[in-house]
Amino acid sequence: RLKVLQEREGVLDKVKDAVLQQLVSSGEPSQPAYKEMLTKLILQGLYQLKEDKVVVQVRKSDASVGATAAKDAAATYKKSTGKDCKVDCDTQNFLPDKNDPVKPCAGGCKLMTPDGRISVDNTLNARLNVVLAQKLPDIKILLFGRSASRTHIDQGEF
């Protein structure tokens, strides 16, 4: 039983790695849709923070795209809420690169107040972790089928 659980965990890790590789390729600044996605991620963070001043961190390779996306997101935020928000891109501290050996970042952004007390992690890695946490039961059912020993089944499951 322990060996089966370890094998299942290995399969789930492989699935996560495969999805992360897809995110890395879609998180390239050269991709046409990346600027639009980054703008939407920044805008979502602005809605969550609801602050007058926000600092955005992106990867070093995304600096120019991030600056443009931040301006676009600030304009959209003002149009939809009527509130001014000063959005600055951090030019000193960057998110790790996609090839970072310790903690690679597939793309996206982090938003925070200027003092750094409140932050929103809208990196693609963080969003993948949220989706995996929410959908893990469904993913396990799709990969391994239903457990024969499970007696309780929630309504709404496939």
Side-chain angles (χ1 to χ4, degrees):
R1 176 137 170 92
L2 185 60
K3 193 158 185 86
V4 170
L5 291 175
Q6 287 173 337
E7 288 296 320
R8 284 184 173 195
E9 203 61 39
V11 169
L12 289 172
D13 287 342
K14 287 179 185 175
V15 168
K16 182 179 177 181
D17 290 342
V19 172
L20 191 57
Q21 289 307 312
Q22 290 288 326
L23 286 177
V24 166
S25 65
S26 67
E28 286 295 320
S30 59
Q31 292 287 331
Y34 184 65
K35 180 189 171 280
E36 181 184 348
M37 178 176 61
L38 191 58
T39 303
K40 289 179 179 179
L41 290 172
I42 293 171
L43 183 61
Q44 183 184 45
L46 293 176
Y47 287 135
Q48 288 176 318
L49 286 175
K50 298 178 185 170
E51 295 288 328
D52 296 333
K53 292 183 181 180
V54 175
V55 177
V56 177
Q57 281 185 340
V58 295
R59 298 178 302 184
K60 197 169 196 171
S61 59
D62 298 345
S64 62
V65 175
T68 307
K71 286 179 188 172
D72 294 348
T76 305
Y77 181 79
K78 180 176 176 144
K79 195 183 302 181
S80 64
T81 64
K83 288 175 54 178
D84 270 329
C85 182
K86 185 173 181 338
V87 182
D88 293 320
C89 276
D90 193 339
T91 57
Q92 303 296 318
N93 304 306
F94 295 100
L95 296 175
D97 192 49
K98 67 179 179 180
N99 299 321
D100 188 75
V102 178
K103 193 172 183 181
C105 179
C109 61
K110 280 187 182 179
L111 294 92
M112 61 195 75
T113 56
D115 61 6
R117 286 185 162 190
I118 306 170
S119 66
V120 173
D121 189 349
N122 253 354
T123 59
L124 297 180
N125 301 59
R127 296 181 68 90
L128 173 62
N129 290 336
V130 168
V131 169
L132 284 177
Q134 290 174 345
K135 293 296 183 182
L136 192 60
D138 296 336
I139 293 169
K140 285 182 177 180
I141 289 171
L142 287 172
L143 290 174
F144 311 118
R146 294 205 176 277
S147 172
S149 63
R150 184 170 176 188
T151 57
H152 177 267
I153 298 174
D154 294 332
Q155 288 183 346
E157 287 187 22
F158 11 97

